[in-house]
Amino acid sequence: MNFFKFFSTAILNFRSKEVNTSLIGYTTEKKIPQVSNSEIEAFQHATADTTDYKSYLPPLFLAKLSIDIIIDICITPKFKINILNTVHGEQHIHWYAIPKRTESFTITTTVKDIRNVPTGEVIYFDVTVSTTEKRIMNLTLLAIVTNKINKVSTKQKKEKSDNPSEPFTIDFFINKNQNFIYGKLLNDHFSVHTNRLLARFMGLTK
């Protein structure tokens, strides 16, 4: 990630109340050359993946590259995205073929839609990864920009947690410093992801 671009966008769009709807239909295409063994090894180390994929790429490697492109779109100043209030939403991946290490790829990313929701806006991204011969993967991802934050009181939080109909949660445990390793791989060193105090300051209590 380009940190100068990130911080300049964060400052310029700090008070942005609405995403620039000219973003709808925006498409970018990026060519990915043959992936090196060192890149694959770094990805597997960061994701604690010990599988031997032989002549194939780890399944989520191309998804990682796709998300890099989405982040780059989100930190483009002219789109008026308040990046400090933007979170990763739901995503779906559909595979059409197993990617091989010897292949090069084209990643086409399109902003399909921007919709208003009670707390802000949702940006719908559609990503297609293909070779010259076939489609490999399709990724759909939602980015949620919380321009209108609804603050919940401590009492309301307690009442909600005491509600027996509240959906169950699942805890995922990661290795020590795994977030730093993964952040280094993604060039994502945003302190909210690695600093507990800053994360709490931004409203992330867990």
Side-chain angles (χ1 to χ4, degrees), residues 15-27:
R15 295 188 179 277
S16 176
K17 300 297 182 184
E18 190 174 76
V19 176
N20 185 354
T21 53
S22 68
L23 181 60
I24 299 174
Y26 177 83
T27 299

Side-chain angles (χ1 to χ4, degrees), residues 152-169 206:
V152 181
S153 68
T154 305
K155 181 180 178 182
Q156 287 174 309
K157 287 181 180 178
K158 186 177 186 307
E159 288 174 351
K160 186 178 179 182
S161 64
D162 291 338
N163 186 346
S165 64
E166 182 181 14
F168 66 87
T169 60
K206 293 185 179 180

Side-chain angles (χ1 to χ4, degrees), residues 43-109:
F43 180 80
Q44 289 194 258
H45 176 63
T47 55
D49 184 354
T50 58
T51 306
D52 181 7
Y53 292 103
K54 301 186 184 302
S55 61
Y56 298 98
L57 288 175
L60 292 179
F61 185 84
L62 292 176
K64 174 258 177 189
L65 296 179
S66 302
I67 291 174
D68 287 348
I69 296 170
I70 290 173
I71 292 173
D72 194 60
I73 292 174
C74 287
I75 62 175
T76 299
K78 67 179 181 179
F79 295 135
K80 302 294 183 184
I81 298 174
N82 186 339
I83 196 66
L84 295 179
N85 283 349
T86 302
V87 295
H88 185 302
E90 183 178 353
Q91 72 178 36
H92 297 278
I93 301 175
H94 185 89
W95 296 96
Y96 299 94
I98 302 174
K100 296 179 180 179
R101 297 189 183 207
T102 55
E103 293 177 315
S104 56
F105 307 93
T106 298
I107 301 179
T108 305
T109 307

